[in-house]
Amino acid sequence: MSETLTRRKLITTGLAGLAGIAGISAAERIANGYGLVPPDSGGIWGVGETLTYAAQRMLMSHHSMAREFSPCEISKSIPVTNGAPQTDPYQRHLANKFRDWRLMVDGIVARPSSFSLTEIQRMPARTQITHQACEQGWSFIAQWSGVPLSYVLNRVGVSTRAKYVVFWSFDPRWDSLDLTDAFHPQTLLAYNMNGQDLPPDYGAPLRVRVPRQLGYKSVKFLTRITVVEDIKKVGDGRGSALPSHGFSWYAGI
Ligand SMILES: Nc1nc2c(c(=O)[nH]1)N[C@H]1C(S)=C(S)[C@@H](COP(=O)(O)O)O[C@H]1N2
Ligand SMILES: [Mo]
């Protein structure tokens, strides 16, 4: 039996079964052995989170692609969840057209760096028309252009110890991705939406677009990206600002 089949069987029958029969800790121990426990796992909800994340990571190819659409499918109206921060630093950068803004990239990387918007716009670009779904029930299709996150990560040289990439924003929102999603070819640092500079409400100057997860993982108004090994040491240790509000860290679709 191939490695994949063994793992698949483990996840679909063994892990789920163990969660029921032998309880949470046994299932978690096994998932942990395969590096499949999400950062917000814990307590009774953690079992669900672990099973969802583990099953997705095992059953789907790491590079399975989110669907891309044609230009005629782009949505006419686009909802905004939380618009541009009204705070002083953000508004000053906005008034200055982000000329002095820089994206910091640090953590366990060979070359900690910071990049201006112009530098980022000169990097190899990818344009894709994808679907963004908010957990609140609405969704839309838009075209985003940006640099693949993988390109920036390779520029700074990610340590072999790295496990997560953390995103920091002008607002209190922060989030993280595992390396599978961080290096996925459709995961972009986007500066352009529907052919125009990313509007402030939609994340200017730069936002994450991770089309394989729900909208809330696509952090807007980026300031900094940090590569880490131990996510438990970041913030409240649950991989994102959102688990403390009842949302799961992993929001794969
Ligand atoms: N920094 C930051 N990023 C964020 C949010 C936020 O409030 N702050 N909202 C998230 C949520 S809940 C969703 S659904 C999407 C919405 O993106 P949109 O405004 O482009 O529709 O952005 C996500 N990124
Ligand atoms: Mo959302």
Side-chain angles (χ1 to χ4, degrees), residues 78-82 132-135 138 140 169 171 173 193 201-202 207 215-221:
I78 309 166
V80 180
T81 332
N82 298 309
Q132 177 160 279
C134 174
E135 75 296 342
W138 50 265
F140 64 92
S169 165
D171 69 10
R173 203 60 90 91
M193 182 178 177
D201 285 346
Y202 296 101
R207 77 173 303 169
Y216 68 77
K217 298 295 287 187
S218 290
V219 177
K220 306 196 276 190
F221 330 114

Side-chain angles (χ1 to χ4, degrees), residues 46-82:
V47 185
E49 300 309 342
T50 299
L51 291 177
T52 308
Y53 180 57
Q56 286 254 13
R57 280 289 173 266
M58 290 294 88
L59 297 177
M60 286 171 62
S61 148
H62 279 198
H63 283 285
S64 68
M65 301 289 273
R67 184 171 164 205
E68 296 195 20
F69 297 81
S70 69
C72 64
E73 292 170 286
I74 291 173
S75 303
K76 301 281 176 283
S77 80
I78 309 166
V80 180
T81 332
N82 298 309

